[in-house]
């Protein structure tokens, strides 16, 4: 299986199964993609075409192009559960305009997961993990810090039950950082909880969509809390979990590379910026028409 793509005008072909990456010219590109030669301006000479086809055949013989799937005969083991995402809070202290979760409530009104439900989820995970040794639990919402006591107790419970079952469980917390105080930070560092921090970049970009229920921007508070967290994280000795800043870009900021740079300027070097998930017709939704500009922005980034 090959994947043809271009980067800054350079044509590249990635062979998925050998993991070889080839830089190719326009003719080889057209041959590999099965395109007609109209885009080349003039049809290639017969010798030139034969030469390209010969090179492709040679790469194929050497296992560097159209390599067979090395896992072709692989039979996967019986399905096992390896990770749970616990929506511990169907509630939120923000009201982001692009929220995919109905302002955190998923259309059902606010609710917090009781501890006994979280414990049953841990038991479900252990009972269905099969031979898997490494398991994961994500705390998600809404805003999981609204149910912080249950998060903490679930970590304690899962660690104990995991050890009894001979499994290692890792934890990840995704938060909007409004309640990310020193107590939460200390707990996450001490217990190796990975933390994903939502921050979209420049103040005007973040505050346009990540608003409090009263309509105020959340940038100042989020940046203050995230910076304090990252300072503590940086100073904390290994072993520790990871963190990264999770930004969302929308139709309003197709120049999202500037948001990335803003996050770097704030002192963060673990950043993931991803496209918004939104229904077509939403003012911030991305459409197919945005693709050329977004592709150019990724190259700029
Ligand atoms: S912080 Fe997350 S759950 Fe809360 S409103 Fe914003 S996007 Fe929705």
């Amino acid at each position: 299986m090959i994947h043809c793509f271009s980067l800054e005008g350079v044509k590249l072909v990635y062979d998925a199964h050998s993991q070889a990456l080839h830089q190719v010219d326009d003719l080889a590109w057209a041959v590999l993609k099965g395109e007609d030669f109209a885009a080349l301006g003039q049809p290639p000479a017969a010798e030139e075409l034969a030469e390209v086809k010969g090179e492709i055949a040679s790469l194929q013989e050497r296992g560097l192009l159209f390599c067979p799937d090395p896992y072709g005969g692989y039979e996967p083991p019986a399905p096992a559960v390896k990770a749970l995402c616990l929506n511990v809070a169907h509630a939120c202290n923000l009201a982001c305009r692009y929220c995919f979760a109905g302002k955190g409530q998923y259309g059902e009104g606010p609710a917090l997961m009781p501890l006994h439900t979280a414990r049953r989820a841990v038991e479900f995970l252990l009972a269905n993990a099969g031979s898997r040794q490494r398991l994961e639990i994500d705390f998600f919402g809404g805003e999981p810090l609204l149910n912080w006591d249950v998060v903490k107790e679930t970590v304690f419970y899962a660690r104990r039950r995991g050890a009894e079952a001979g499994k290692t469980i890792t934890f990840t917390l995704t938060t909007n950082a409004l309640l990310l105080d020193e107590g939460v930070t200390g707990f996450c560092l001490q217990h190796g909880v990975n933390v994903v921090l939502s921050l979209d970049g420049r103040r005007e970009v973040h505050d346009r969509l990540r608003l409090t229920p009263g309509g105020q921007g959340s940038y100042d508070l989020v940046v203050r809390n995230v910076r304090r967290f990252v300072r503590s994280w940086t100073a904390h000795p290994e072993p520790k979990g990871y963190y990264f800043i999770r930004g969302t870009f929308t139709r309003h900021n197709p120049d999202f590379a500037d948001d990335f740079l803003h996050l770097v300027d704030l002192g963060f070097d673990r950043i993931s910026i991803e496209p918004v998930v939104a229904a077509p017709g939403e003012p911030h939704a991305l459409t197919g028409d945005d693709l050329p500009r977004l592709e150019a922005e990724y190259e700029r980034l």
Side-chain angles (χ1 to χ4, degrees):
M1 181 199 300
I2 61 168
H3 176 51
C4 302
F5 61 102
S6 64
L7 185 68
E8 294 186 341
V10 177
K11 292 186 167 61
L12 298 163
V13 178
Y14 177 67
D15 184 65
H17 296 316
S18 68
Q19 301 180 16
L21 182 66
H22 307 278
Q23 183 177 338
V24 299
D25 62 15
D26 292 346
L27 178 55
W29 175 265
V31 171
L32 286 166
K33 293 188 77 178
E35 293 175 349
D36 65 33
F37 300 128
L40 299 176
Q42 58 181 28
E47 294 139 28
E48 202 185 355
L49 186 57
E51 187 183 338
V52 164
K53 288 184 173 175
E55 284 174 12
I56 291 173
S58 165
L59 288 169
Q60 192 168 356
E61 271 170 31
R62 288 151 56 202
L64 296 171
L65 204 57
F66 301 113
C67 179
D69 183 355
Y71 298 106
Y74 176 71
E75 287 293 333
V81 181
K82 71 160 189 169
L84 286 184
C85 181
L86 296 186
N87 280 19
V88 292
H90 276 194
C92 195
N93 45 4
L94 280 185
C96 305
R97 289 205 169 118
Y98 56 31
C99 183
F100 60 91
K103 310 294 180 258
Q105 299 182 17
Y106 294 86
E108 294 186 348
L112 300 180
M113 181 181 284
L115 180 57
H116 68 85
T117 302
R119 285 181 170 167
R120 285 181 62 203
V122 172
E123 294 300 335
F124 173 86
L125 176 62
L126 292 171
N128 292 280
S131 59
R132 284 186 178 274
Q133 291 301 301
R134 297 184 168 274
L135 308 175
E136 295 165 32
I137 293 178
D138 293 348
F139 298 107
F140 202 71
E143 172 48 47
L145 293 187
L146 291 176
N147 204 5
W148 177 232
D149 285 344
V150 165
V151 171
K152 281 192 299 188
E153 290 303 321
T154 305
V155 169
F156 290 136
Y157 183 79
R159 277 267 153 82
R160 178 171 64 76
R161 292 288 297 119
E164 288 168 1
K167 312 278 190 192
T168 302
I169 302 180
T170 56
F171 304 93
T172 302
L173 171 78
T174 299
T175 177
N176 63 27
L178 260 64
L179 298 174
L180 185 68
D181 59 17
E182 289 177 9
V184 173
T185 298
F187 182 92
C188 291
L189 291 174
Q190 187 183 349
H191 295 280
V193 176
N194 307 315
V195 181
V196 180
L197 301 148
S198 298
L199 171 59
D200 285 352
R202 292 163 290 178
R203 175 196 297 276
E204 64 273 21
V205 169
H206 182 97
D207 280 352
R208 180 171 196 153
L209 295 171
R210 297 189 69 83
L211 302 169
T212 67
Q216 305 296 309
S218 58
Y219 175 91
D220 285 330
L221 182 55
V222 170
V223 167
R224 190 191 75 189
N225 289 349
V226 170
R227 280 182 132 164
R228 186 180 54 223
F229 175 89
V230 171
R231 272 198 304 273
S232 300
W233 185 91
T234 304
H236 194 81
E238 299 283 358
K240 57 190 172 187
Y242 64 76
Y243 87 86
F244 66 86
I245 309 293
R246 167 64 168 82
T248 297
F249 67 83
T250 73
R251 190 153 218 215
H252 298 307
N253 61 320
D255 56 346
F256 57 86
D258 285 346
D259 294 289
F260 181 92
L261 292 174
H262 179 77
L263 294 170
V264 172
D265 287 343
L266 288 173
F268 311 134
D269 59 3
R270 294 154 173 262
I271 301 165
S272 173
I273 292 196
E274 298 166 36
V276 71
V277 174
E282 295 281 353
H284 47 266
L286 295 161
T287 71
D289 293 343
D290 297 308
L291 276 177
R293 180 142 188 216
L294 298 181
E295 285 173 5
E297 191 67 3
Y298 273 113
E299 291 198 7
R300 187 165 84 90
L301 178 60

